[in-house]
Amino acid sequence: MKYILSIDQGTTGTTACLIDAETFLFVGKINQEYPQIYPHPSWVEHNLNDIWSSVENTTRDLLRLYNVQGSQIAAIGITNQRETTCAFNRLGTPLANAIVWQDRRTNEFCTELKARPGLIDKIKKLTGLPIDPYFSATKMNWLLNNNSAVKEAAELNQLLFGTIDSFLLYKLSGHSAHKTDASNASRTMLMDLKTSNWSHELLELFGVKKEFLPSIEDSFGIFGKTKGLSFLPDGIPISG
């Protein structure tokens, strides 16, 4: 019997789910919460190691609970909290806590951007989004300007940015797949809706190099395969 493993990485916890790969019937799930970090009023962070541990723990416990072998997993799908911004290096090591979608630390920067003639309309036309701290672009800019580990990794060309899906994919694939899909990329305020590519104009505005970002792929397809994990065998396709 084959199963689909669904990893739902949410704002307060991670849920691993099993679905019958033939009938698509729901089999079961396990959830694990992790700490919310509030360094200052209106700031919200997550420790990426806590998130990764929650993925590992829920997956391992789920397979054990339902007596499923890793070899029975036909494919993995990921769904995730949006806009939350991760900075890590090419070894998959987090360089900072993730800045969560709720975080408002870039509010002053957004106010400055709104004051620039024509910029509100330009960003709205390119991305479909208003200028707001909610989205990932200003969070990336903040990390580049305020976090020494992120700055150093950028200078050494070792920096990778992503939303939660990109971080999990990178870890699951043994650091081989740095990718996202348009549904996540469209929430960064950096993707051109007409092309589904990163906007060179917005990358320049926010000081983010394209090589720091994941490639944008179709939502359904093979993003990578598991490799080097303690809780799953190699070769399982991560496909949605």
Side-chain angles (χ1 to χ4, degrees):
M1 191 170 183
K2 292 288 187 178
Y3 299 89
I4 297 166
L5 171 64
S6 172
I7 298 171
D8 179 357
Q9 204 304 292
T11 305
T12 60
T14 298
T15 304
C17 308
L18 276 178
I19 294 112
D20 187 307
E22 293 186 5
T23 65
F24 299 113
L25 291 174
F26 183 81
V27 177
K29 66 180 181 179
I30 283 183
N31 174 268
Q32 179 182 316
E33 295 186 352
Y34 55 86
Q36 307 294 301
I37 302 168
Y38 306 104
H40 301 285
S42 82
W43 293 30
V44 190
E45 298 179 355
H46 291 156
N47 184 310
L48 286 171
N49 289 322
D50 289 344
I51 287 180
W52 178 243
S53 293
S54 72
V55 170
E56 183 174 352
N57 293 339
T58 53
T59 300
R60 182 182 284 116
D61 292 348
L62 182 70
L63 298 186
R64 185 184 297 121
L65 179 64
Y66 291 95
N67 196 29
V68 172
Q69 302 299 312
S71 58
Q72 292 177 271
I73 303 299
I76 297 172
I78 298 171
T79 184
N80 55 283
Q81 53 172 309
R82 303 287 169 136
E83 299 93 18
T84 296
T85 303
C86 311
F88 49 101
N89 65 21
R90 295 187 182 275
L91 297 176
T93 304
L95 298 170
N97 284 341
I99 302 180
V100 182
W101 56 272
Q102 302 150 305
D103 190 283
R104 305 298 293 178
R105 74 186 67 184
T106 63
N107 192 59
E108 185 176 336
F109 179 41
C110 288
T111 300
E112 293 172 5
L113 293 174
K114 290 175 184 177
R116 299 187 190 182
L119 194 56
I120 291 176
D121 291 340
K122 181 182 288 290
I123 288 180
K124 180 76 171 179
K125 183 178 180 180
L126 283 170
T127 69
L129 302 174
I131 297 173
D132 195 90
Y134 191 91
F135 307 109
S136 308
T138 62
K139 303 179 195 298
M140 294 180 191
N141 178 272
W142 189 94
L143 286 165
L144 285 165
N145 288 315
N146 294 278
N147 185 286
S148 58
V150 173
K151 286 182 188 178
E152 182 178 0
E155 291 168 359
L156 297 173
N157 200 31
Q158 292 295 307
L159 173 62
L160 298 178
F161 276 134
T163 40
I164 291 291
D165 62 306
S166 299
F167 174 69
L168 296 185
L169 174 65
Y170 197 71
K171 298 284 282 187
L172 288 166
S173 66
H175 312 152
S176 64
H178 187 218
K179 300 177 181 180
T180 188
D181 79 324
S183 72
N184 278 286
S186 68
R187 304 299 291 173
T188 62
M189 209 161 66
L190 292 172
M191 191 190 86
D192 186 331
L193 283 180
K194 290 184 178 179
T195 64
S196 290
N197 291 319
W198 301 119
S199 164
H200 295 291
E201 189 173 1
L202 294 179
L203 293 179
E204 185 175 351
L205 174 66
F206 291 104
V208 178
K209 292 184 179 179
K210 187 177 181 181
E211 53 262 38
F212 297 160
L213 296 174
S215 62
I216 302 173
E217 311 291 338
D218 290 339
S219 295
F220 297 98
I222 305 300
F223 286 79
K225 295 184 178 181
T226 55
K227 183 179 180 182
L229 303 173
S230 64
F231 58 100
L232 288 171
D234 290 356
I236 302 172
I238 303 151
S239 54

